[in-house]
């Protein structure tokens, strides 16, 4: 069996061996690092690996001494794992390990702070724990997982959460493979005297790469930037996920995005009028154009049985041509006759005219703090809206109405409340995050509401799970396919509002630099998020973080940003293969079968005992 | 508007050159789908093949020094085929052994082909979009002025050859059986998994060949995104050609003609180039939509087989 207690000791010993190896090979902490990745590596075995010099006054303090209690802790876990009924003890050891890691972290922060406190400008700016310390953390989590797994019902616990387990495990596998790629592609900075030092430098390089990739989590401007990059991914992720839910594979999000961008530009530039009219119209136009572009392959499938995968891809290329046709020149020859177009802005660059002020989606500073005063309108609207939706016990229609009402009341109340004045630094205001992010959150809510709370969504899921049964149950399959593709296209089209109306790139225009390939990234987002709204939101944010961090990786280490694209592709591949996990995890029927067999075995054992 | 003889001759040869990669890839796709595995990863495999051919030849030139090395491009071709087969093998493992959704698994490989070349190019050349130009391109065969790359001849030779393999050999019979009714084939002692692996890897080898043709036959370097949807168009051509070598020959000639026309019209004032470029894609959509008779795919295509 998978959770036979006799195997626990082996698994712990295996993990412990790897941990010991990492402690020996990987640095414990890196207090000082240069821009290109060179650093002073600390290791409890022997001493520093100087690839630079530590500033005067730096003391390790008790940092390296945390290694010895860690060693004792590891030895204890290895012993405990072989004593009968180890699960509960391993819980304790896991928590103890987390404590040890926290202690290491605090001691390290203190030793760095001590140096920086003495100087005017911080002397140590790029500092971090090393892979050796992080390994402690990882091993503690591994122990906790094993303890849960080997407690009664542990495997069933994991199988029930396969929607989380498979993506996370795939992320882990992709990261490991990404680490190998980094190790091969990039020469470690610094001179190594021995094989161990060479390995240490490589491991540190990989760790540093991932630290940079996840660095947006810990600095405010990177955080905002990750939300900015997540915004279009939420839309395209939902566009792909909606297709998956309905049994369709929508690879057409890039084309739908382009059409949305064109429509948003046409309304935004050429339709005069007041803001309350033009802005919603421009957003609607984007959704409508993207929707129609998506509905066409849907119709071709329903009417002629043409597979949507190749058709949506062809529609992507056609859309790209149309896009270039509109904004790359204003004068074309048709059979010798000349055609004049008004769309391209004069000049060398291929771009449209500027979006009118009325049609622009406001920048995040205008939403959070209009006129320099912090506004409570949005948070209150969100809070009251959610309260209205979730706290009422009535029919769905009533709940939605109350939710909307709560939102409006919250917005009005919050708008009236006076807020403290705030002043954002230039690194924050320069991030072009805009109201399209709120639109993306609304889209997540719409997805949840439509797919899981309405009859139409029920039909959609029915078609995705069992098309023939759904048709027998009265779903008009052809019409439904067109509708699904329309809605998916509309979601992808809305992604364009972020770029064109929200100025998500650098201008309020339609530009040749429109990154429509985020439509493909939507596939990874949908799979990673397992086609659920919460999952898609989180996955989009994760990729937003990685994309932001990828810039830092490129800047500091000279590794191509496409490392992130490779990681995404690997994640998709691994999720497709069920994370290479045993069938038990990926196939619910198989899981049930194993559970029934396990029950029977236990009953038999009990019978014998009697 | 004057279209003289030179235009038509150029159009004819351009059609042959444009058809070659489509034909190679579509024949590969046919072997894969006849064995029951959809392989929309061909688009990405073309890119991997092209990247391999360009980088291998350029690096060898760098190592060997200047001077003509007539065997060098062939090393590039072979390595592109090997890499194409290897990438297809990954798709095969994930979709056959791990029973993954074949389209998702293949899409992952296509996504990989968007990102991975940049990493390799940055590593070797310091830029993310194209390789250095190679000196030793594939030679041209034929009389002066009408010479074509040997891979063009090879592609057209492969049509009767694959017809023979598919319909006149025991191997072809088994391959088709596995794609039509794997359970029955299994009962008769045919190793379903092995036949499918062979079909998919073969498709990868041919797509890798198409990539090599693009990188060191058609051009002399790797350029990012140089496959430009050829893998997908090939699949459409394969469907249009009803999974049959002869049908595939005619349908790829149609698509090759559409692209050649697009290229030949670019210099003229007949239609704007940016719109003409969309021509093959529009043809694909129209063809898939219904300008074709009833076509029946292999019955077991896209379904993972479980013993």
């Amino acid at each position: 069996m998978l959770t036979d207690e006799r195997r626990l000791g082996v698994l712990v010993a295996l993990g412990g061996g790897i941990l010991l190896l990492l402690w020996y090979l990987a640095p414990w902490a890196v207090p000082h690092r240069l821009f290109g990745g060179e650093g002073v590596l600390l290791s409890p075995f022997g001493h520093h690996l100087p690839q630079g010099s530590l500033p005067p006054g730096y003391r390790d303090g008790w940092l390296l001494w945390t290694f010895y209690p860690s060693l004792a802790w590891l030895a204890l876990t290895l012993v405990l794992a072989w004593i009968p009924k180890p699960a509960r003890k391993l819980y304790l050891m896991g928590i103890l390990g987390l404590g040890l890691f926290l202690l290491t972290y605090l001691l390290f922060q203190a030793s760095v702070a001590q140096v920086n406190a003495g100087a005017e400008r911080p002397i140590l700016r790029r500092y971090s724990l090393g892979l050796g310390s992080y390994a402690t953390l990882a091993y503690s989590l591994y122990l906790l997982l094993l303890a849960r797994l080997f407690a009664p019902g542990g495997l069933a616990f994991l199988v029930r959460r396969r929607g989380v387990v498979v993506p996370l495990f795939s992320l882990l596998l992709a990261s490991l493979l990404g680490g190998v790629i980094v190790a091969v592609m990039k020469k470690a900075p610094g001179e190594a005297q021995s094989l161990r030092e060479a390995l240490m430098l490589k491991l540190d390089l990989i760790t540093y790469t991932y630290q940079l990739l996840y660095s947006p989590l810990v600095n405010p401007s990177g955080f905002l930037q990750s939300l900015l990059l997540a915004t279009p991914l939420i839309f395209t992720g939902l566009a792909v996920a909606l297709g998956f839910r309905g049994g369709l594979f929508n690879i057409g999000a890039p084309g739908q995005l382009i059409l949305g961008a064109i429509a948003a530009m046409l309304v935004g530039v050429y339709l005069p009028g007041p803001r309350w009219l033009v802005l919603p119209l421009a957003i609607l136009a984007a959704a409508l154009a993207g929707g129609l572009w998506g509905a066409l392959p849907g119709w071709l499938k329903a009417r002629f049985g043409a597979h949507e995968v190749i058709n949506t891809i062809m529609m992507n290329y056609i859309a790209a041509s149309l896009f270039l046709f509109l904004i790359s020149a204003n004068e074309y020859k048709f059979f010798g006759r000349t055609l004049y177009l008004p769309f391209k802005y004069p000049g060398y660059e291929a771009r449209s005219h500027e979006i009118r002020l009325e049609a622009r989606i406001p920048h995040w500073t205008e939403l959070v703090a209009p006129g320099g005063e912090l506004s409570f309108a949005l948070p209150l609207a969100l809070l009251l809206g959610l309260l209205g939706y979730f706290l009422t016990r009535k029919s769905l229609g009533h709940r939605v109405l109350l939710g909307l009402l709560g939102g409006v009341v919250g917005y009005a109340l919050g708008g009236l409340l006076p807020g403290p004045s705030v002043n954002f630094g230039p690194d924050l205001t320069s991030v072009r995050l805009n109201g399209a992010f709120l639109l993306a959150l609304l889209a997540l809510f719409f997805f949840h509401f439509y797919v899981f709370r309405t009859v139409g969504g029920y039909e959609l899921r029915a078609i995705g799970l069992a098309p023939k049964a759904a048709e027998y149950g009265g779903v008009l399959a052809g019409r439904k396919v067109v509708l699904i593709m329309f809605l998916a296209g509309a979601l992808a089209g809305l992604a364009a509002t972020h770029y064109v109306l929200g100025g998500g790139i650098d201008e309020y225009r339609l530009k040749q630099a429109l990154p429509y390939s985020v439509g493909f990234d939507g596939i990874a987002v949908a799979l990673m998020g397992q086609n659920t709204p919460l999952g898609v939101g989180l996955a989009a944010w994760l990729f937003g973080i990685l994309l932001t961090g990828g810039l830092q990786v490129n800047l500091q280490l000279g590794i191509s940003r496409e490392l992130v694209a490779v990681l995404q592709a690997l994640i998709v591949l691994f999720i497709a293969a069920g994370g290479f996990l045993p069938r038990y995890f990926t196939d619910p029927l198989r899981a049930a079968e194993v559970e029934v067999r396990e029950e029977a075995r236990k009953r038999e054992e009990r019978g014998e005992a009697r | 508007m004057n279209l003289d003889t030179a235009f038509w001759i150029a159009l004819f040869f351009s059609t042959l050159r444009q058809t070659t990669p489509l034909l190679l890839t579509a024949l590969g796709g046919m072997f894969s789908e006849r064995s029951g595995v959809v392989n929309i990863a061909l688009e990405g495999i073309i890119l991997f093949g092209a990247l391999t051919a360009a980088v291998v030849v350029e690096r060898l030139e760098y190592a060997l020094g200047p001077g003509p090395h007539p065997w060098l491009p062939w090393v590039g071709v072979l390595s592109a085929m090997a890499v194409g087969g290897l990438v297809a093998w990954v798709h095969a493992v994930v979709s056959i052994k791990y029973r993954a959704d074949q389209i998702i698994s293949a899409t992952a490989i296509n996504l990989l082909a968007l990102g991975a070349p940049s990493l390799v190019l940055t590593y070797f050349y310091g830029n993310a979009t194209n390789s250095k130009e190679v000196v030793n391109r594939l030679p041209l065969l034929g009389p002066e002025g009408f010479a074509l790359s040997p891979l063009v001849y090879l592609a057209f030779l492969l049509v009767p050859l694959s017809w023979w393999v598919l319909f006149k050999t025991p191997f072809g019979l088994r391959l088709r059986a596995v794609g039509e009714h794997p359970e029955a084939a299994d009962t008769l002692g045919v190793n379903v998994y092995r036949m499918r692996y062979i079909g998919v890897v073969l498709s990868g080898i041919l797509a890798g060949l198409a990539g090599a043709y693009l990188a060191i036959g058609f051009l002399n370097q790797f350029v990012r995104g140089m496959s430009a949807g050829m893998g997908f168009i090939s699949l459409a051509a394969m469907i249009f050609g009803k999974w049959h070598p002869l049908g595939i020959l005619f349908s790829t000639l149609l698509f090759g003609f559409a692209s050649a026309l697009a290229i030949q019209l670019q210099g003229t004032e007949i239609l704007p180039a940016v719109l003409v470029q969309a021509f093959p894609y529009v043809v694909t959509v129209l063809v898939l939509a219904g300008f074709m008779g009833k076509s029946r795919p292999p019955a077991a295509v896209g379904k993972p087989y479980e013993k």
Side-chain angles (χ1 to χ4, degrees), chain B residues 199-214:
Chain B
V200 176
V201 171
L202 206 56
S203 75
I205 290 174
L206 286 173
L209 194 62
Y213 171 76
L214 287 183

Side-chain angles (χ1 to χ4, degrees), chain A residues 321-501:
Chain A
S321 287
L322 199 65
F323 170 61
L324 277 183
F325 175 70
L326 284 183
I327 63 160
S328 70
N330 275 339
E331 207 182 301
Y332 288 106
K333 301 274 190 198
F334 270 94
F335 299 101
R337 254 175 267 159
T338 311
L339 172 83
Y340 294 100
L341 293 175
F343 303 114
K344 182 178 183 289
Y345 186 74
Y348 172 72
E349 212 185 336
R351 53 182 187 168
S352 76
H353 292 268
E354 270 207 328
I355 303 293
R356 300 158 55 84
L357 280 173
E358 294 82 34
R360 291 182 186 180
I361 296 178
H363 188 250
W364 70 273
T365 48
E366 292 172 47
L367 289 171
V368 173
E373 281 191 356
L374 206 63
S375 156
F376 294 108
L378 280 173
L380 258 184
L382 191 72
L383 187 72
L384 289 186
L386 285 178
L387 281 180
Y389 181 75
F390 282 112
L391 286 190
T392 41
R393 291 269 166 268
K394 281 192 176 159
S395 78
L396 186 67
H398 280 101
R399 293 173 64 189
V400 172
L401 261 175
L402 274 171
L404 286 176
L405 196 72
V408 172
V409 171
Y411 193 81
L413 269 180
L416 290 175
L417 284 176
S421 73
V422 282
N423 205 358
F424 296 111
D427 58 326
L428 291 185
T429 47
S430 69
V431 177
R432 302 186 69 90
L433 182 68
N434 57 65
F437 179 67
L438 294 178
L439 217 55
L441 294 185
L442 276 181
L444 284 173
F445 187 73
F446 161 80
F447 185 95
H448 164 79
F449 180 73
Y450 176 70
V451 174
F452 298 105
R453 292 283 178 274
T454 64
V455 177
Y458 171 75
E459 289 179 353
L460 176 141
R461 284 179 291 143
I463 284 232
L465 290 171
K468 281 183 183 152
E471 243 178 296
Y472 182 73
V475 180
L476 295 171
R479 225 183 268 182
K480 200 73 198 174
V481 164
V482 179
L483 180 68
I484 294 170
M485 286 302 288
F486 176 82
L487 288 176
L491 283 168
L494 280 174
T497 59
H498 165 73
Y499 293 117
V500 180
L501 303 175

Side-chain angles (χ1 to χ4, degrees), chain A residues 185 249 300 304 306 310-311 313-314 317 321 325 332-336 523 527 560 562 566 569 573 576 580 583 590, chain B residues 98-100 103-104 107-108 112 115-116 118 122-123 224 229 232 269-272 274-275 278 281 285 288-289 306:
Chain A
M185 289 277 169
F249 195 6
L300 290 172
F304 302 105
I310 294 182
N311 267 335
I313 292 168
M314 292 300 129
Y317 288 107
S321 287
F325 175 70
Y332 288 106
K333 301 274 190 198
F334 270 94
F335 299 101
I523 300 167
L527 283 173
S560 169
E562 303 289 329
V566 170
L573 190 69
F580 298 109
R583 278 305 281 292
R590 192 60 66 92
Chain B
Y98 290 94
R99 290 167 290 263
I103 290 180
I104 297 179
T107 301
L112 204 57
S118 295
T122 315
Y123 178 67
R224 204 174 171 196
F232 300 121
E269 294 198 336
I270 299 171
L271 284 170
V274 278
L275 277 193
Y281 309 121
V285 173
L288 283 179
E306 201 167 343

Side-chain angles (χ1 to χ4, degrees), chain A residues 18-199:
Chain A
I18 295 173
L19 178 67
L20 203 58
L21 202 66
L22 280 178
W23 276 349
Y24 179 65
L25 288 179
W28 196 251
V30 187
H32 185 49
R33 198 188 283 284
L34 303 177
F35 190 70
E38 281 185 53
V40 182
L41 315 182
L42 300 186
S43 161
F45 297 95
H47 205 51
H48 313 162
L49 266 169
Q51 300 183 69
S53 56
L54 275 172
Y58 178 83
R59 297 265 185 288
D60 296 338
W62 288 89
L63 174 66
L64 293 182
W65 287 96
T66 54
F67 174 70
Y68 297 103
S70 303
L71 209 58
W73 164 72
L74 175 64
L76 195 59
T77 57
L78 289 178
V79 172
L80 283 179
W82 291 96
I83 295 173
K85 299 216 179 279
R88 177 154 300 181
K89 290 160 205 142
L90 286 186
Y91 265 131
L92 281 177
M93 297 314 286
I95 291 166
L96 197 61
L98 290 181
L100 272 171
F101 174 75
L102 198 67
L103 182 70
T104 316
Y105 177 78
L106 290 176
L107 285 172
F108 180 60
Q109 292 290 331
S111 67
V112 168
Q114 197 187 355
V115 178
N116 282 347
E120 279 175 26
R121 288 178 64 230
I123 300 169
L124 300 174
R125 262 171 298 167
R126 287 181 202 82
Y127 53 86
S128 62
L129 288 178
L131 183 58
S133 308
Y134 290 130
T136 312
L137 175 66
Y139 183 67
S140 310
L141 294 175
Y142 174 71
L143 283 182
L144 289 177
L145 181 71
L146 280 183
R148 180 67 188 90
L149 207 53
F150 282 81
L155 206 50
F157 157 81
L158 216 56
V159 169
R160 254 180 278 123
R161 283 156 188 77
R162 79 175 75 77
V164 182
V165 170
V166 171
L168 279 186
F169 196 72
S170 300
L171 176 67
L172 191 71
L173 278 182
S175 303
L176 282 178
L177 206 56
V180 174
I181 293 173
V182 169
V184 172
M185 289 277 169
K186 176 83 185 157
K187 196 182 155 295
E191 291 287 313
Q193 305 295 330
S194 64
L195 183 65
R196 179 177 158 242
E197 286 194 8
L199 278 171

Side-chain angles (χ1 to χ4, degrees), chain B residues 45-56:
Chain B
I45 296 177
I46 295 177
L47 282 175
F48 275 115
L51 177 73
T52 311
V55 169
V56 164

